[in-house]
Amino acid sequence: MTARATALTLGLSALALGAPAARAQERPVTPARADRIADSVLALLSLDEKVGQLIQMPGGRDQTGPTVPAGGEDAVRTGRIGSFLSFWGADATRRMQRAAVEQSPHHVPLLFALDVIHGFRTIFPEPLGEAASFDPATAERDARAAAVEASAAGIHWTFAPMVDIARDPRWGRVVEGAGEDPYLGARFAEARVRGFQGDSGFTAPTALLATAKHFVGYGASEGGRDYNTGEIGERTLWDVYLPPFEAAERAGVATFMAGFSAVDGTPPHANRWLLTDVLRDRWHFGGLVVSDWEGIRELMPHGIAATRADAALRAVTAGVDVDMSDNVYGTDLAALVRAGRVPQAAVDSAARRVLRAKALLGLFDDPYHGVTAERERRDVLAPAHRALARASGRASVVLLENRDNTLPLSKAVRSLAVIGPLADDRRSSLGNWLLAAEDRDAVTVLAGLRAALPGARVSYLAGVPADTVDARVGPGIDSAVALARAADATVLVLGEREYMSAEASSRSTLDLPGAQLALAQAVVRAARAAGKPAAVVLMNGRPLSTPWLADSAGALVESWFLGVEHGNAVADVLFGDYNPAGRLPMTVPRAVGQVPLYYNHANTGRPAVAADHFTSKYLDVPWTPLYPFGYGRSYTTFAYRALRPSADTVRFGSARDTLGVSVEVTNTGARAGDEVVQLYVRDDAARVVRPVRELKGFRRVSLRPGETRTVRFTLRAEDLAFYGLDMRRVVEPGTFTLWAGGSSAAALEAKFAVAGDTLVVAPAPPPYR
Ligand code: NOJ
């Protein structure tokens, strides 16, 4: 069968057969049609060409623009590459695509992938900060805008969202996920998948294939040290680490990425139980699995593959389809098949999945996916996206402290001192993962404050460096103190530079880096002595332990890394143009020695009691966090009452049966504001230990002063389920406690009971191995 005959049989466009002109035509590609296209194209390919579909080559950039490694274009022309990562730009991708569809033997189009993590050129809040909005719709909108931009620059596939649960803030990659909670994580996972992929099908020119990563357990790296081994108990794996991945799968995520770190002895890249038994057989995932960067070759240093060939064999038979960057499949896979060590079927199914993804995107109809230089110019850094970034930025800010109403600051101040090494740092305003981003797009806090106070004198001093302890910090601190004394008000901007919370950026402390605490102490004390307001703005990608600031700063504001509109969003909050309502998606410890510290922990047989020595606590630090999960303040206040389940006793007949819960929340202050109403549940006694409380619902509501709202939640039976003694997913009869309020420390409580027999929501998964 010739390429032409096959393509005609399928009704493929002339383009797929090598005709030169682009046709921005959109034909819906149903899953059934994608299957037919994939099968027919697969039948044309030689073994080496099938392996070629599995190879993902990294691109690069130099002064001339996008580049590929030597031999890259030849490999495209000979059909030895299926996809590129980190190669973008409308003209560049069109040129490379043309080489693939016009010159390669079977005209198979390429996929272009990129880490579009929190924006393409318009950078939105980094994912942990965005999760602090407790508003998945915000994340969905931002991901959609990111997809519009990235797809205009020729990208088909993003390696996001990262849905790893992270309980250890020393791990630098906590910045990339939604924090410590599986329920919040699952809601943000779904929202981000929907946002990246869109709701018009993959043939839509702005659709991206999303990736749920890093499957699974990367967030459990011991000591918070990146790439480290982890230990996760089987029940914890299913109850805590897997739910956001399962939610992403149910939301239709197109691809999964295998994680780096070995969990209980097996790196995911070689874990057939995980990638096949769980992902494909239990969850029925039909999309692609991509390795992480060199994750296949790394099976050798992990010590479970002696050679590249062993590594290729283990990965492909476990279920890794695409080999990102290390070309182990390229050098070894075809020979393994020829030697009978890897079944041909394993390569066929992996290549078929790649072809199917290309077919779903409609690339066999329009390999250019509607990409034009004109569209790129129009959509990248579109003004509407900047406006969205400002809205998402301010929705993500968490007000931690506000003594004596230090905030909002008055716009009548005549002079403002802005102090701190991050106040005018554009790059840090953007946060990590800046591939297509440009520093010049960022509005720093200094620039945002200046724009908000056009008539005032806004003076700036870094004071100390952000990341080093310079022996000569004294004079910098003295000048900063003088500046603060002379001004009507002071804003200190402190924290981490963007590179400090990122991949390969684990830290052993959670303190302010460098001499920033000394700077803050001197400036805050001087301002207090002079009776002038001083607010501290934190910028960071992980929880920082700042007990001194918590006790002493007039106001403390967590601003994360908010992206291009960082400074304007912070100014909106500091001057009260926006009433902050962000909530912490991770517990903030008092000291790094408390880590791991998370709100949904087990009670132990000896829960902490101050007066009882032999209970679960520390000698030198309280057992409680500095700030609990879900915490955040407002410029107004809220009160809760009337927490009520719809029935005192409920009998569940199926996983989808429900119990209603309502609670009344009132804005008791003088300003309008948003409150994040949170619902927590505890299973009081079960056959296995259950967490002290678990988030099971949240709603961000806007309330006028004095307004009361009844917020209603629906608990499904399966929301109360857990992996029981025999690993079946069950709801056991017994009593449950509910709490509702503005954080995981909510005090308003109610009870209900589940009657009847144990309800089995899902059978036991295949045994963990
Ligand atoms: C390694 C990271 O772990 C992963 O998250 C990322 O997508 C790849 N590199 C590609 O850049």
Side-chain angles (χ1 to χ4, degrees):
M1 189 157 46
T2 66
R4 188 167 295 272
T6 306
L8 288 176
T9 318
L10 290 163
L12 301 186
S13 77
L15 238 163
L17 303 174
R23 200 176 58 176
Q25 161 213 26
E26 256 183 70
R27 290 180 56 193
V29 181
T30 59
R33 182 163 169 246
D35 286 337
R36 284 200 304 277
I37 295 174
D39 284 338
S40 304
V41 177
L42 188 71
L44 306 174
L45 305 186
S46 67
L47 175 59
D48 291 317
E49 289 163 344
K50 288 174 184 170
V51 171
Q53 288 304 307
L54 313 183
I55 304 304
Q56 184 167 96
M57 183 181 264
R61 274 185 118 66
D62 64 17
Q63 312 82 316
T64 61
T67 58
V68 294
E73 295 214 30
D74 286 344
V76 169
R77 288 193 191 91
T78 52
R80 295 297 198 272
I81 285 187
S83 55
F84 278 98
L85 84 148
S86 301
F87 183 85
W88 71 90
D91 290 339
T93 54
R94 283 186 66 99
R95 212 173 39 247
M96 197 63 83
Q97 192 70 299
R98 183 167 300 128
V101 297
E102 293 183 10
Q103 297 172 30
S104 73
H106 303 291
H107 319 293
V108 180
L110 295 161
L111 287 174
F112 296 103
L114 186 71
D115 289 280
V116 182
I117 306 296
H118 52 120
F120 176 73
R121 172 87 183 259
T122 305
I123 299 296
F124 297 96
E126 39 76 7
L128 187 70
E130 195 183 55
S133 70
F134 269 63
D135 181 22
T138 291
E140 184 171 342
R141 275 194 302 271
D142 291 350
R144 188 83 291 272
V148 166
E149 293 196 7
S151 61
I155 294 303
H156 306 120
W157 181 4
T158 176
F159 299 132
M162 182 184 108
V163 304
D164 293 301
I165 293 297
R167 290 175 156 183
D168 189 334
R170 292 171 297 181
W171 188 47
R173 300 196 77 170
V174 301
V175 66
E176 292 178 51
E180 74 188 34
D181 183 64
Y183 183 85
L184 185 73
R187 302 294 79 80
F188 272 82
E190 294 156 356
R192 288 177 172 143
V193 168
R194 281 196 303 268
F196 286 128
Q197 298 191 166
D199 54 12
S200 312
F202 289 114
T203 40
T206 63
L208 294 183
L209 307 171
T211 305
K213 74 184 188 185
H214 306 84
F215 197 46
V216 63
Y218 190 18
S221 301
E222 279 176 5
R225 184 158 56 82
D226 209 357
Y227 315 121
N228 202 6
T229 294
E231 293 290 341
I232 305 177
E234 184 174 16
R235 199 165 279 104
T236 306
L237 180 71
W238 282 96
D239 279 333
V240 177
Y241 286 85
L242 285 173
F245 286 95
E246 193 168 6
E249 202 285 327
R250 286 188 189 172
V253 74
T255 80
F256 269 66
M257 183 186 290
F260 280 132
S261 42
V263 176
D264 197 26
T266 311
H269 287 81
N271 193 334
R272 188 176 163 83
W273 173 82
L274 182 67
L275 300 183
T276 298
D277 300 358
V278 173
L279 185 59
R280 303 233 177 255
D281 298 345
R282 185 168 166 101
W283 292 354
H284 308 295
F285 174 66
L288 263 184
V289 174
V290 62
S291 79
D292 201 343
W293 181 276
E294 302 206 342
I296 300 176
R297 186 195 57 76
E298 288 173 12
L299 296 177
M300 294 194 286
H302 269 299
I304 64 156
T307 61
R308 284 172 71 89
D310 280 355
L313 183 148
R314 292 216 51 180
V316 78
T317 52
V320 177
D321 300 318
V322 171
D323 177 354
M324 181 197 288
S325 80
D326 61 14
N327 200 30
V328 172
Y329 283 179
T331 54
D332 288 76
L333 197 48
L336 285 165
V337 174
R338 290 192 181 102
R341 292 182 63 206
V342 165
Q344 171 78 50
V347 174
D348 283 359
S349 18
R352 189 178 177 283
R353 288 186 194 117
V354 176
L355 295 169
R356 188 171 180 278
K358 294 176 177 182
L360 281 173
L361 284 159
L363 298 184
F364 290 98
D365 292 330
D366 171 14
Y368 303 102
H369 213 226
V371 173
T372 61
E374 189 199 341
R375 183 180 146 209
E376 185 181 39
R377 270 193 302 277
R378 186 195 61 203
D379 289 346
V380 171
L381 204 64
H385 295 168
R386 279 203 86 106
L388 206 55
R390 184 166 181 165
S392 311
R394 55 198 206 173
S396 304
V397 171
V398 184
L399 180 64
L400 297 172
E401 302 289 347
N402 194 17
R403 287 197 176 76
D404 306 323
N405 297 324
T406 299
L407 294 179
L409 294 173
S410 162
K411 278 196 182 160
V413 291
R414 282 159 301 133
S415 59
L416 182 72
V418 181
I419 294 170
L422 297 174
D424 201 26
D425 180 339
R426 287 173 188 259
R427 199 158 188 81
S428 294
S429 307
L430 296 174
N432 208 255
W433 278 121
L434 305 177
L435 292 161
E438 305 261 355
D439 291 0
R440 66 191 151 105
D441 299 335
V443 177
T444 64
V445 174
L446 179 63
L449 293 173
R450 283 194 166 137
L453 284 183
R457 189 158 47 79
V458 180
S459 330
Y460 167 62
L461 252 189
V464 300
D467 41 6
T468 53
V469 182
D470 188 319
R472 295 155 304 156
V473 291
I477 293 180
D478 292 346
S479 310
V481 165
L483 199 71
R485 281 203 184 110
D488 290 346
T490 296
V491 173
L492 274 150
V493 187
L494 309 171
E496 300 181 310
R497 286 181 54 201
E498 54 81 29
Y499 78 88
M500 291 180 185
S501 190
E503 184 177 344
S505 297
S506 298
R507 293 182 62 207
S508 66
T509 82
L510 302 173
D511 300 341
L512 281 173
Q516 294 185 79
L517 182 59
L519 172 72
Q521 288 175 330
V523 170
V524 166
R525 283 179 181 135
R528 204 166 44 206
K532 295 178 171 174
V536 177
V537 174
L538 292 174
M539 290 171 62
N540 44 275
R542 58 156 62 77
L544 290 180
S545 295
T546 56
W548 190 87
L549 292 177
D551 288 344
S552 312
L556 187 59
V557 176
E558 175 55 78
S559 79
W560 317 104
F561 303 125
L562 296 177
V564 286
E565 288 288 318
H566 186 103
N568 286 330
V570 168
D572 288 343
V573 168
L574 294 186
F575 291 110
D577 296 318
Y578 184 82
N579 188 352
R583 298 304 158 96
L584 294 172
M586 280 188 86
T587 303
V588 178
R590 295 171 187 275
V592 72
Q594 292 178 301
V595 168
L597 186 69
Y598 45 91
Y599 85 95
N600 48 354
H601 60 85
N603 204 30
T604 82
R606 295 188 179 189
V609 175
D612 187 346
H613 184 70
F614 291 100
T615 57
S616 182
K617 53 188 196 289
Y618 297 97
L619 285 179
D620 52 356
V621 69
W623 69 86
T624 54
L626 186 60
Y627 299 112
F629 172 87
Y631 169 86
R633 307 176 72 93
S634 164
Y635 296 150
T636 186
T637 48
F638 299 95
Y640 286 82
R641 61 177 295 279
L643 172 61
R644 294 199 184 103
S646 56
D648 292 338
T649 301
V650 60
R651 268 170 206 279
F652 291 129
S654 92
R656 277 180 294 282
D657 285 356
T658 59
L659 173 75
V661 178
S662 62
V663 66
E664 284 179 22
V665 55
T666 303
N667 180 345
T668 50
R671 278 174 177 265
D674 286 3
E675 169 71 335
V676 178
V677 180
Q678 301 163 49
L679 178 70
Y680 293 87
V681 180
R682 177 173 183 172
D683 190 336
D684 295 332
R687 300 242 296 153
V688 297
V689 167
R690 303 294 300 130
V692 291
R693 55 177 75 183
E694 292 179 292
L695 184 70
K696 292 296 176 188
F698 60 89
R699 185 97 32 83
R700 185 167 169 146
V701 294
S702 301
L703 295 173
R704 295 184 307 275
E707 184 181 354
T708 295
R709 180 89 57 88
T710 301
V711 176
R712 293 176 207 284
F713 296 98
T714 302
L715 285 175
R716 292 162 311 169
E718 75 172 305
D719 293 329
L720 304 176
F722 59 92
Y723 286 84
L725 212 47
D726 58 4
M727 283 307 289
R728 291 185 306 172
R729 195 155 177 249
V730 293
V731 183
E732 289 182 358
T735 62
F736 290 75
T737 308
L738 294 165
W739 292 268
S743 83
S744 60
L748 182 64
E749 186 180 313
K751 292 268 186 193
F752 68 93
V754 172
D757 297 331
T758 294
L759 175 73
V760 178
V761 165
Y768 188 26
R769 59 193 155 79

